[in-house]
Amino acid sequence: MSSAPAASVLFVCIHNAGRSQMAAGFLRHLAGDRVEVRSAGSVPGEQINPAAVAAMAELGIDISDQKPKVLTPEAARASDYIITMGCGDACPYFPGKTYLDWQLEDPAGQGVEAVRPIRDEIKALIEGLIAEIDAKSKA
């Protein structure tokens, strides 16, 4: 018997190739099916950033099968949390959603050494998000 997820989360950045994909990978890995996970970009890239894939693989999280996706109003409407990462005014606003804006350096064009600290910052933010979602679902 499965229960509905405690929340649904949409991660949005410009290209949906680095930060949002790492965040989605961490949330899937750490929360499992307790949280529904989406990611999208306002101007999606062609492929996932190889340095982001490599940095996540170092922690045993495989995001290599993910593809950049375009941000749609439907994805935003279906999400409880919309977490933006530098997409600015391109991110839609829907009343009743919890919006968080995470100020993270853009890993585009950087090597894995430069992506690791961004990855680690995202992991800490995800752990805090999971704690918030779990607290709200128990309230």
Side-chain angles (χ1 to χ4, degrees):
M1 180 171 109
S2 66
S3 60
S8 59
V9 177
L10 171 63
F11 296 103
V12 183
C13 65
I14 295 170
H15 300 298
N16 189 222
R19 296 167 287 188
S20 57
Q21 293 287 354
M22 289 191 286
F26 273 126
L27 189 54
R28 282 187 198 99
H29 180 77
L30 297 172
D33 60 2
R34 293 190 342 252
V35 177
E36 185 177 11
V37 181
R38 298 179 180 86
S39 70
S42 52
V43 183
E46 293 293 315
Q47 66 178 25
I48 301 296
N49 180 334
V53 172
M56 293 297 284
E58 291 176 349
L59 300 180
I61 301 171
D62 182 9
I63 61 170
S64 64
D65 63 339
Q66 297 299 308
K67 305 276 184 254
K69 295 166 281 307
V70 70
L71 175 62
T72 64
E74 294 78 23
R77 270 192 216 94
S79 301
D80 300 310
Y81 288 81
I82 298 175
I83 300 174
T84 58
M85 304 170 177
C87 70
D89 294 337
C91 295
Y93 179 80
F94 293 94
K97 307 297 177 186
T98 299
Y99 282 85
L100 301 172
D101 185 36
W102 291 353
Q103 299 294 317
L104 297 162
E105 186 178 342
D106 188 349
Q110 300 192 55
V112 71
E113 299 80 19
V115 173
R116 283 184 191 118
I118 301 166
R119 173 203 65 196
D120 295 343
E121 187 176 355
I122 290 170
K123 181 180 184 209
L125 289 165
I126 292 296
E127 289 169 341
L129 176 66
I130 291 169
E132 179 180 323
I133 290 170
D134 286 346
K136 281 186 178 180
S137 70
K138 291 180 174 98

